[in-house]
Amino acid sequence: QVQLVESGGGLVQPGGSLRLSCAASGSIFSINDMGWYRQRPGKERELVATITSDGSTNYKDSVEGRFTCSRDNAKNTVYLQMNSLKPEDTAVYYCNANVRADSRWPFVDYWGQGTQVTVSS
């Protein structure tokens, strides 16, 4: 099994910054894409940012230029640096990783438990 453990959420004022981390552990042979999704109150879960194993990134339009997704392949960890935060960024943020536990097995999506980010004055 694979576990994703997130950290770094909290309460921040508008214009502030937070950094989320997500470490994957367990039976890992290789990790393909990693990323972050969020679920705002009353909304469906949406993609925030993804990063491939070679570092190519993709962002939701509304966070482009404010958020930066990065990863440390040696630590099986993905990060989300969030700057210039806005109240509309308030959400539960979920980490995602596409993991292969064995060379003979297919890639499977795993999710973290979610971390609350609240942007408010």
Side-chain angles (χ1 to χ4, degrees):
Q1 284 295 328
V2 174
Q3 297 81 38
L4 301 182
V5 178
E6 301 151 348
S7 60
L11 173 65
V12 64
Q13 292 187 342
S17 298
L18 281 175
R19 188 192 195 210
L20 306 182
S21 300
C22 172
S25 62
S27 301
I28 298 172
F29 176 76
S30 65
I31 302 178
N32 194 6
D33 291 359
M34 302 184 80
W36 294 92
Y37 290 71
R38 70 186 182 189
Q39 188 161 16
R40 294 182 285 177
K43 304 287 188 179
E44 294 186 352
R45 190 175 297 189
E46 60 185 6
L47 182 148
V48 176
T50 59
I51 184 167
T52 64
S53 56
D54 63 0
S56 296
T57 53
N58 178 56
Y59 296 96
K60 179 180 176 60
D61 285 348
S62 62
V63 308
E64 183 89 50
R66 299 188 296 122
F67 291 9
T68 301
C69 185
S70 60
R71 65 191 281 175
D72 184 332
N73 290 331
K75 296 181 179 180
N76 292 330
T77 299
V78 63
Y79 306 95
L80 186 68
Q81 178 65 46
M82 304 184 292
N83 298 330
S84 303
L85 282 160
K86 304 176 180 180
E88 52 264 41
D89 295 318
T90 295
V92 178
Y93 284 71
Y94 296 91
C95 169
N96 170 265
N98 191 237
V99 180
R100 177 182 282 181
D102 185 278
S103 61
R104 300 162 294 176
W105 298 354
F107 283 95
V108 176
D109 273 337
Y110 291 90
W111 293 89
Q113 79 283 0
T115 185
Q116 177 70 46
V117 171
T118 301
V119 185
S120 176
S121 55

